[in-house]
Amino acid sequence: KKITGDEKAFDAIIFYKDTIEDTLGVRLTWKRGEDIKSSKIYYELRGVSIEDETDWQRMAEFQAKWSKKFYDVIVPYLEENER
């Protein structure tokens, strides 16, 4: 099987898994895309539903907060790997 760019990036940053999780203060879910086209690293907001309009604000705030945190913590490792 040919390794994709997505898998290479995943393999490069999983080396820093403990450091990334310690910096974020949470345990993430790490799934390398073996049989699919994309790998995933995520942190999940539980106890909400897209069907419940009263959850939407909380979901939007969660997305904004964690998108920024992921960017600030993970992207530098990806950029370092590209050098």
Side-chain angles (χ1 to χ4, degrees):
K1 176 188 177 219
K2 182 181 175 186
I3 296 177
T4 67
D6 180 73
E7 291 167 331
K8 286 179 185 176
F10 184 89
D11 293 346
I13 66 168
I14 199 160
F15 179 79
Y16 302 101
K17 177 183 184 293
D18 292 337
T19 303
I20 289 168
E21 291 180 340
D22 289 346
T23 301
L24 291 171
V26 297
R27 295 293 154 228
L28 304 172
T29 300
W30 298 74
K31 293 186 177 186
R32 187 175 189 268
E34 298 291 338
D35 297 324
I36 57 174
K37 291 187 179 198
S38 66
S39 298
K40 297 176 182 163
I41 304 167
Y42 62 92
Y43 180 57
E44 189 173 1
L45 177 62
R46 299 183 185 267
V48 295
S49 171
I50 192 69
E51 296 174 357
D52 184 350
E53 200 171 322
T54 64
D55 287 340
W56 292 359
Q57 182 64 38
R58 186 169 160 222
M59 293 164 64
E61 290 169 358
F62 177 87
Q63 180 68 32
K65 174 183 175 181
W66 284 97
S67 294
K68 173 80 169 111
K69 284 185 175 202
F70 266 53
Y71 183 86
D72 290 346
V73 173
I74 294 174
V75 168
Y77 292 108
L78 293 171
E79 291 174 342
E80 179 179 305
N81 187 57
E82 289 178 358
R83 294 181 195 148

XYZ file of all heavy atoms in Angstrom:
705
model
N 0.846 -1.193 0.000
C 0.000 0.000 0.000
C 0.884 1.247 0.000
O 1.833 1.360 0.765
C -0.896 -0.004 1.241
C -1.729 1.244 1.339
C -2.470 1.322 2.667
C -3.203 2.616 2.688
N -3.235 3.314 3.895
N 0.555 2.175 -0.851
C 1.278 3.449 -0.903
C 0.814 4.342 0.253
O -0.380 4.455 0.520
C 0.989 4.136 -2.236
C 1.724 5.429 -2.403
C 1.382 6.063 -3.736
C 2.038 7.424 -3.820
N 1.642 8.160 -4.995
N 1.741 4.969 0.946
C 1.404 5.865 2.053
C 1.078 7.242 1.500
O 1.833 7.808 0.711
C 2.566 5.951 3.074
C 2.781 4.580 3.708
C 2.278 6.994 4.135
C 3.936 4.522 4.674
N -0.065 7.771 1.906
C -0.519 9.083 1.428
C 0.121 10.198 2.243
O 0.681 9.965 3.318
C -2.046 9.201 1.542
O -2.399 9.199 2.936
C -2.755 8.085 0.825
N -0.006 11.424 1.750
C 0.483 12.590 2.485
C -0.202 12.734 3.830
O 0.403 13.125 4.822
N -1.483 12.394 3.863
C -2.253 12.450 5.099
C -1.668 11.496 6.132
O -1.498 11.842 7.298
C -3.714 12.097 4.807
C -4.581 12.137 6.041
O -4.861 13.262 6.516
O -4.961 11.064 6.533
N -1.354 10.289 5.707
C -0.780 9.299 6.625
C 0.622 9.711 7.073
O 0.996 9.509 8.234
C -0.754 7.927 5.964
C -2.142 7.339 5.778
C -2.158 6.135 4.861
O -1.302 6.041 3.954
O -3.037 5.295 5.051
N 1.396 10.298 6.168
C 2.732 10.772 6.542
C 2.651 11.859 7.606
O 3.414 11.862 8.570
C 3.482 11.306 5.315
C 3.960 10.242 4.387
C 4.676 10.855 3.190
C 5.044 9.790 2.187
N 5.648 10.350 0.984
N 1.714 12.788 7.428
C 1.538 13.852 8.415
C 1.105 13.266 9.750
O 1.614 13.651 10.818
C 0.511 14.875 7.922
N 0.169 12.333 9.721
C -0.303 11.688 10.945
C 0.864 10.993 11.647
O 1.059 11.142 12.854
C -1.408 10.680 10.624
C -2.018 10.051 11.844
C -3.103 10.640 12.471
C -1.514 8.876 12.378
C -3.669 10.077 13.600
C -2.058 8.305 13.499
C -3.148 8.907 14.117
N 1.635 10.223 10.889
C 2.774 9.503 11.462
C 3.797 10.453 12.070
O 4.419 10.146 13.082
C 3.443 8.637 10.396
C 2.558 7.486 9.933
O 1.543 7.189 10.603
O 2.880 6.892 8.886
N 3.958 11.612 11.461
C 4.928 12.590 11.968
C 4.481 13.191 13.300
O 5.298 13.381 14.202
C 5.140 13.705 10.948
N 3.192 13.481 13.441
C 2.779 14.138 14.681
C 2.377 13.176 15.783
O 2.372 13.568 16.946
C 1.687 15.199 14.464
C 0.395 14.596 14.009
C 2.145 16.275 13.534
C -0.756 15.571 14.076
N 2.083 11.922 15.466
C 1.737 10.990 16.541
C 2.948 10.765 17.453
O 2.804 10.411 18.620
C 1.144 9.660 16.025
C 0.391 8.983 17.168
C 2.210 8.779 15.414
C -0.607 7.955 16.769
N 4.133 11.013 16.928
C 5.355 10.959 17.737
C 5.244 11.912 18.939
O 5.803 11.664 19.989
C 6.558 11.313 16.854
C 7.866 11.317 17.592
C 8.512 10.133 17.883
C 8.444 12.510 17.995
C 9.728 10.131 18.573
C 9.647 12.531 18.675
C 10.291 11.333 18.973
N 4.500 13.006 18.769
C 4.343 14.031 19.808
C 3.026 13.896 20.573
O 2.617 14.811 21.276
C 4.411 15.430 19.178
C 5.698 15.671 18.436
C 5.750 15.579 17.053
C 6.862 15.975 19.122
C 6.930 15.796 16.365
C 8.052 16.188 18.442
C 8.086 16.094 17.064
O 9.257 16.302 16.397
N 2.357 12.768 20.433
C 1.033 12.551 21.017
C 0.956 12.963 22.486
O 0.094 13.745 22.876
C 0.629 11.083 20.862
C -0.703 10.711 21.488
C -0.947 9.209 21.330
C -2.287 8.774 21.844
N -2.457 8.884 23.280
N 1.841 12.439 23.314
C 1.793 12.749 24.748
C 2.005 14.228 25.019
O 1.300 14.818 25.838
C 2.820 11.918 25.523
C 2.467 10.430 25.537
O 1.279 10.086 25.365
O 3.395 9.612 25.727
N 2.937 14.835 24.329
C 3.203 16.260 24.509
C 2.007 17.098 24.073
O 1.617 18.046 24.768
C 4.457 16.682 23.710
O 5.559 15.884 24.128
C 4.773 18.147 23.912
N 1.419 16.750 22.945
C 0.247 17.476 22.448
C -0.907 17.357 23.435
O -1.535 18.357 23.798
C -0.153 16.965 21.048
C 0.889 17.401 20.011
C -1.555 17.439 20.662
C 0.759 16.725 18.659
N -1.184 16.148 23.895
C -2.280 15.954 24.844
C -2.010 16.648 26.173
O -2.922 17.242 26.762
C -2.543 14.464 25.053
C -3.129 13.803 23.828
C -3.403 12.326 23.987
O -2.822 11.682 24.894
O -4.201 11.808 23.198
N -0.776 16.609 26.637
C -0.427 17.313 27.883
C -0.620 18.821 27.725
O -1.134 19.484 28.621
C 1.010 17.004 28.305
C 1.191 15.576 28.804
O 0.171 14.898 29.078
O 2.351 15.132 28.910
N -0.216 19.361 26.595
C -0.366 20.791 26.345
C -1.842 21.184 26.289
O -2.236 22.215 26.851
C 0.330 21.191 25.024
O 1.717 20.841 25.117
C 0.196 22.670 24.748
N -2.655 20.367 25.634
C -4.089 20.651 25.526
C -4.847 20.334 26.818
O -5.931 20.849 27.044
C -4.708 19.864 24.365
C -4.296 20.288 22.970
C -4.806 19.296 21.932
C -4.795 21.694 22.670
N -4.283 19.462 27.632
C -4.925 19.091 28.893
C -6.068 18.100 28.740
O -6.903 17.971 29.633
N -6.109 17.392 27.609
C -7.149 16.392 27.353
C -6.545 15.216 26.591
O -5.494 15.343 25.975
C -8.334 16.962 26.539
C -9.055 18.067 27.286
C -7.893 17.447 25.168
N -7.239 14.094 26.643
C -6.862 12.945 25.824
C -7.654 13.019 24.533
O -8.868 13.222 24.543
C -7.157 11.620 26.547
C -6.319 11.422 27.785
C -4.837 11.243 27.432
N -3.989 11.666 28.554
C -2.947 12.473 28.440
N -2.606 12.969 27.287
N -2.228 12.800 29.481
N -6.964 12.872 23.418
C -7.577 12.949 22.098
C -7.812 11.554 21.539
O -7.228 10.585 22.020
C -6.657 13.718 21.149
C -6.252 15.122 21.581
C -5.191 15.679 20.641
C -7.460 16.028 21.640
N -8.635 11.470 20.519
C -8.814 10.232 19.776
C -7.936 10.332 18.532
O -8.018 11.319 17.791
C -10.293 10.044 19.385
O -11.072 10.009 20.582
C -10.490 8.757 18.610
N -7.093 9.333 18.317
C -6.152 9.310 17.197
C -6.504 8.123 16.307
O -6.440 6.976 16.746
C -4.721 9.139 17.702
C -4.244 10.241 18.587
C -4.601 10.468 19.882
C -3.315 11.268 18.255
N -3.964 11.568 20.370
C -3.157 12.083 19.387
C -2.605 11.583 17.103
C -2.318 13.189 19.410
C -1.757 12.679 17.127
C -1.623 13.466 18.272
N -6.871 8.376 15.062
C -7.217 7.307 14.130
C -6.473 7.505 12.819
O -6.748 8.449 12.085
C -8.725 7.284 13.878
C -9.518 6.888 15.105
C -10.979 6.723 14.783
C -11.722 6.260 16.025
N -13.122 5.957 15.727
N -5.529 6.627 12.576
C -4.779 6.692 11.315
C -5.640 6.102 10.215
O -6.210 5.034 10.379
C -3.477 5.920 11.427
C -2.577 6.074 10.227
C -1.249 5.375 10.489
N -0.289 5.667 9.472
C -0.102 4.918 8.378
N -0.849 3.844 8.180
N 0.820 5.240 7.495
N -5.748 6.771 9.110
C -6.603 6.342 8.005
C -6.035 5.179 7.231
O -5.581 5.363 6.107
N -6.066 3.999 7.829
C -5.530 2.816 7.156
C -6.348 2.448 5.915
O -5.802 2.247 4.854
C -5.508 1.626 8.123
C -4.633 1.827 9.342
C -3.151 1.862 9.031
O -2.732 1.341 7.988
O -2.402 2.434 9.844
N -7.652 2.318 6.088
C -8.505 1.854 4.997
C -9.431 2.938 4.456
O -10.357 2.651 3.705
C -9.346 0.664 5.474
C -8.463 -0.515 5.856
O -7.429 -0.723 5.195
O -8.798 -1.223 6.830
N -9.196 4.159 4.889
C -9.995 5.275 4.392
C -9.047 6.361 3.907
O -7.841 6.253 4.096
C -10.957 5.819 5.486
C -10.162 6.251 6.726
C -12.002 4.789 5.848
C -11.006 6.934 7.776
N -9.572 7.418 3.347
C -8.716 8.437 2.738
C -8.201 9.486 3.702
O -7.438 10.347 3.310
C -9.463 9.124 1.596
C -9.683 8.206 0.428
C -10.269 8.940 -0.734
C -10.453 7.996 -1.889
N -10.622 8.635 -3.148
N -8.638 9.459 4.962
C -8.159 10.498 5.872
C -7.918 9.949 7.267
O -8.593 9.031 7.713
C -9.168 11.649 5.942
O -10.367 11.209 6.539
N -6.926 10.517 7.915
C -6.662 10.224 9.315
C -7.359 11.283 10.149
O -7.641 12.378 9.657
C -5.157 10.256 9.585
O -4.503 9.269 8.820
N -7.613 10.961 11.422
C -8.343 11.904 12.267
C -7.726 11.983 13.647
O -7.314 10.977 14.212
C -9.806 11.470 12.404
C -10.541 11.461 11.098
C -11.943 10.938 11.260
C -12.581 10.925 9.873
N -13.741 10.122 9.795
N -7.684 13.200 14.138
C -7.316 13.475 15.521
C -8.417 14.385 16.027
O -8.654 15.439 15.443
C -5.960 14.196 15.623
C -4.869 13.390 14.933
C -5.614 14.475 17.091
C -3.590 14.164 14.705
N -9.087 13.980 17.084
C -10.191 14.825 17.522
C -10.455 14.734 19.015
O -10.029 13.809 19.687
C -11.465 14.528 16.726
C -12.014 13.123 16.860
C -12.967 12.820 17.834
C -11.619 12.116 15.991
C -13.487 11.540 17.942
C -12.140 10.845 16.095
C -13.076 10.554 17.072
O -13.585 9.293 17.178
N -11.159 15.745 19.468
C -11.674 15.837 20.829
C -13.157 16.112 20.681
O -13.549 16.968 19.894
C -10.972 16.960 21.589
C -11.432 17.129 23.007
C -11.372 16.070 23.905
C -11.913 18.345 23.452
C -11.794 16.233 25.210
C -12.325 18.517 24.761
C -12.269 17.454 25.640
O -12.681 17.604 26.925
N -13.962 15.388 21.406
C -15.400 15.388 21.165
C -16.186 16.046 22.303
O -15.910 15.802 23.476
C -15.816 13.915 21.043
C -17.177 13.645 20.603
C -17.394 12.148 20.375
O -16.470 11.332 20.581
O -18.511 11.800 20.000
N -17.144 16.861 21.928
C -18.097 17.431 22.881
C -19.241 16.439 23.020
O -19.902 16.102 22.051
C -18.624 18.777 22.375
C -19.684 19.462 23.228
C -19.138 19.796 24.623
C -20.196 20.715 22.543
N -19.452 15.979 24.217
C -20.501 14.980 24.458
C -21.729 15.636 25.067
O -21.652 16.710 25.632
C -19.978 13.877 25.365
C -18.803 13.142 24.731
C -18.338 11.994 25.605
N -17.149 11.380 25.055
C -17.151 10.338 24.238
N -18.290 9.799 23.871
N -16.025 9.840 23.783
N -22.854 14.955 24.937
C -24.077 15.421 25.564
C -24.794 16.526 24.820
O -25.563 17.276 25.414
N -24.512 16.648 23.517
C -25.202 17.640 22.689
C -25.770 16.943 21.457
O -25.348 15.856 21.097
C -24.267 18.788 22.252
C -23.800 19.597 23.438
C -23.079 18.258 21.465
N -26.712 17.614 20.825
C -27.320 17.076 19.614
C -27.502 18.189 18.599
O -28.011 19.263 18.936
C -28.683 16.453 19.939
O -29.367 16.122 18.741
N -27.138 17.912 17.363
C -27.332 18.881 16.289
C -28.825 19.160 16.084
O -29.211 20.213 15.594
C -26.666 18.402 14.976
C -26.595 19.518 13.951
C -27.375 17.195 14.403
C -25.662 20.616 14.269
N -29.656 18.245 16.495
C -31.102 18.409 16.355
C -31.718 19.286 17.447
O -32.863 19.709 17.314
C -31.781 17.041 16.335
C -31.364 16.220 15.128
C -31.905 14.806 15.148
O -32.579 14.421 16.130
O -31.647 14.075 14.186
N -30.953 19.549 18.511
C -31.452 20.358 19.623
C -30.898 21.778 19.495
O -29.737 22.038 19.783
C -31.034 19.739 20.952
C -31.596 20.465 22.158
O -32.160 21.576 22.013
O -31.461 19.914 23.267
N -31.746 22.683 19.071
C -31.323 24.061 18.821
C -30.722 24.719 20.061
O -29.864 25.602 19.948
C -32.520 24.868 18.313
C -32.142 26.122 17.599
C -33.331 26.788 16.925
O -34.203 26.090 16.380
O -33.358 28.033 16.955
N -31.122 24.284 21.242
C -30.560 24.882 22.470
C -29.092 24.500 22.670
O -28.398 25.139 23.451
C -31.387 24.486 23.719
O -31.309 23.067 23.909
C -32.824 24.932 23.590
N -28.607 23.477 21.970
C -27.197 23.066 22.048
C -26.310 23.826 21.073
O -25.087 23.763 21.173
C -27.048 21.568 21.754
C -27.547 20.678 22.870
O -27.660 21.158 24.015
O -27.830 19.492 22.595
N -26.887 24.509 20.105
C -26.101 25.092 19.026
C -25.059 26.093 19.496
O -23.924 26.080 19.008
C -27.016 25.726 17.980
C -27.833 24.733 17.220
C -27.829 23.373 17.360
C -28.782 25.019 16.214
N -28.724 22.787 16.496
C -29.333 23.777 15.777
C -29.251 26.191 15.639
C -30.296 23.692 14.792
C -30.210 26.100 14.648
C -30.724 24.869 14.227
N -25.403 26.943 20.420
C -24.445 27.943 20.912
C -23.260 27.257 21.581
O -22.109 27.605 21.335
C -25.116 28.922 21.874
C -24.207 30.026 22.387
C -23.720 30.955 21.285
O -24.462 31.278 20.359
N -22.486 31.385 21.369
N -23.548 26.282 22.412
C -22.488 25.540 23.104
C -21.600 24.823 22.087
O -20.376 24.802 22.220
C -23.128 24.542 24.068
C -22.151 23.832 24.920
C -22.886 23.065 26.029
N -22.019 22.040 26.547
C -22.371 20.816 26.844
N -23.633 20.445 26.726
N -21.515 19.954 27.307
N -22.196 24.256 21.061
C -21.432 23.563 20.034
C -20.548 24.531 19.245
O -19.382 24.224 18.953
C -22.388 22.813 19.098
C -23.103 21.662 19.793
S -24.547 21.047 18.911
C -23.844 20.402 17.432
N -21.087 25.686 18.925
C -20.319 26.695 18.182
C -19.130 27.191 19.013
O -18.019 27.347 18.492
C -21.214 27.861 17.784
N -19.355 27.431 20.288
C -18.274 27.882 21.172
C -17.203 26.808 21.312
O -16.006 27.103 21.299
C -18.843 28.270 22.533
C -19.662 29.551 22.477
C -20.453 29.824 23.751
O -20.410 29.007 24.702
O -21.150 30.866 23.784
N -17.623 25.562 21.451
C -16.687 24.443 21.534
C -15.836 24.366 20.266
O -14.615 24.246 20.326
C -17.460 23.135 21.749
C -16.595 21.906 21.772
C -16.013 21.483 22.949
C -16.375 21.165 20.618
C -15.219 20.342 22.982
C -15.589 20.032 20.627
C -15.006 19.614 21.822
N -16.492 24.452 19.117
C -15.781 24.378 17.832
C -14.766 25.505 17.691
O -13.624 25.283 17.287
C -16.785 24.421 16.674
C -16.160 24.345 15.314
C -15.526 23.002 15.024
O -15.986 21.985 15.503
N -14.470 23.002 14.255
N -15.172 26.710 18.025
C -14.265 27.854 17.911
C -13.073 27.699 18.857
O -11.921 27.908 18.464
C -15.018 29.145 18.204
N -13.339 27.351 20.082
C -12.277 27.205 21.098
C -11.285 26.113 20.715
O -10.070 26.332 20.719
C -12.908 26.887 22.450
C -11.926 26.564 23.543
C -12.653 26.181 24.832
C -11.695 25.741 25.905
N -12.414 25.348 27.125
N -11.795 24.934 20.346
C -10.902 23.814 20.087
C -10.251 23.878 18.718
O -9.130 23.386 18.543
C -11.626 22.493 20.345
C -11.725 22.287 21.828
C -12.793 22.577 22.635
C -10.677 21.863 22.690
N -12.465 22.332 23.943
C -11.181 21.892 24.008
C -9.371 21.459 22.487
C -10.404 21.520 25.112
C -8.599 21.078 23.585
C -9.124 21.117 24.873
N -10.866 24.512 17.750
C -10.201 24.715 16.458
C -8.949 25.560 16.661
O -7.878 25.256 16.123
C -11.135 25.400 15.462
O -12.207 24.574 15.141
N -9.078 26.607 17.433
C -7.940 27.496 17.725
C -6.857 26.747 18.504
O -5.670 26.844 18.188
C -8.439 28.715 18.501
C -7.352 29.637 19.008
C -6.836 30.564 17.943
C -5.956 31.647 18.529
N -4.565 31.505 18.155
N -7.268 25.994 19.532
C -6.286 25.245 20.325
C -5.552 24.224 19.467
O -4.330 24.099 19.558
C -6.974 24.537 21.499
C -7.326 25.455 22.629
C -7.878 24.662 23.796
C -8.110 25.570 24.979
N -8.136 24.836 26.237
N -6.295 23.471 18.645
C -5.663 22.479 17.767
C -4.675 23.166 16.837
O -3.557 22.692 16.654
C -6.723 21.745 16.935
C -7.201 20.456 17.558
C -7.678 20.422 18.848
C -7.181 19.289 16.827
C -8.125 19.242 19.413
C -7.632 18.091 17.376
C -8.103 18.072 18.674
N -5.087 24.268 16.253
C -4.210 24.993 15.342
C -2.930 25.429 16.058
O -1.822 25.196 15.574
C -4.931 26.207 14.749
C -4.087 26.940 13.741
C -4.066 26.536 12.412
C -3.285 28.004 14.129
C -3.267 27.186 11.485
C -2.483 28.662 13.209
C -2.470 28.243 11.891
O -1.669 28.886 10.989
N -3.092 26.053 17.211
C -1.935 26.573 17.948
C -0.979 25.474 18.407
O 0.233 25.683 18.450
C -2.391 27.381 19.165
C -3.045 28.695 18.787
O -2.925 29.130 17.627
O -3.700 29.296 19.670
N -1.505 24.308 18.754
C -0.673 23.242 19.311
C -0.167 22.268 18.244
O 0.985 21.863 18.278
C -1.441 22.481 20.426
C -0.661 21.274 20.906
C -1.742 23.417 21.592
N -0.995 21.905 17.296
C -0.630 20.850 16.343
C 0.089 21.379 15.102
O 1.059 20.785 14.642
C -1.868 20.017 15.953
C -2.357 19.252 17.195
C -1.556 19.064 14.814
C -3.643 18.492 17.002
N -0.333 22.494 14.569
C 0.253 23.006 13.329
C 1.772 23.216 13.424
O 2.494 22.874 12.482
C -0.490 24.269 12.836
C 0.277 24.967 11.725
C -1.887 23.891 12.361
N 2.307 23.725 14.534
C 3.774 23.859 14.586
C 4.522 22.534 14.384
O 5.586 22.513 13.766
C 4.028 24.431 15.983
C 2.772 25.195 16.293
C 1.675 24.364 15.691
N 3.960 21.427 14.865
C 4.595 20.122 14.638
C 4.528 19.728 13.167
O 5.474 19.143 12.631
C 3.940 19.033 15.502
C 4.212 19.214 16.968
C 3.212 19.626 17.832
C 5.481 18.973 17.492
C 3.457 19.805 19.191
C 5.734 19.132 18.848
C 4.720 19.547 19.683
O 4.973 19.717 21.024
N 3.440 20.042 12.504
C 3.331 19.760 11.068
C 4.307 20.594 10.266
O 4.961 20.111 9.341
C 1.897 20.003 10.586
C 0.840 19.041 11.127
C -0.549 19.525 10.757
C 1.088 17.631 10.611
N 4.401 21.884 10.618
C 5.339 22.779 9.924
C 6.774 22.342 10.147
O 7.591 22.365 9.224
C 5.137 24.206 10.390
C 3.825 24.802 9.945
C 3.526 26.177 10.524
O 4.155 26.569 11.532
O 2.643 26.840 9.972
N 7.097 21.914 11.362
C 8.452 21.455 11.669
C 8.787 20.220 10.841
O 9.908 20.067 10.351
C 8.542 21.116 13.165
C 9.890 20.612 13.610
C 9.913 20.324 15.086
O 9.577 21.223 15.879
O 10.248 19.191 15.456
N 7.821 19.349 10.663
C 8.028 18.136 9.893
C 8.266 18.409 8.408
O 8.938 17.650 7.731
C 6.836 17.191 10.060
C 7.071 15.858 9.416
O 8.023 15.166 9.728
N 6.219 15.514 8.475
N 7.731 19.511 7.899
C 7.884 19.859 6.482
C 9.285 20.374 6.169
O 9.683 20.438 5.017
C 6.841 20.893 6.077
C 5.439 20.334 6.021
C 4.414 21.385 5.664
O 4.765 22.558 5.484
O 3.228 21.027 5.585
N 10.013 20.777 7.171
C 11.355 21.344 6.941
C 12.358 20.287 6.599
O 12.323 19.184 6.834
C 11.816 22.121 8.178
C 10.982 23.323 8.409
C 11.468 24.098 9.605
N 10.414 25.033 9.959
C 10.162 25.419 11.188
N 10.872 24.992 12.187
N 9.216 26.271 11.442
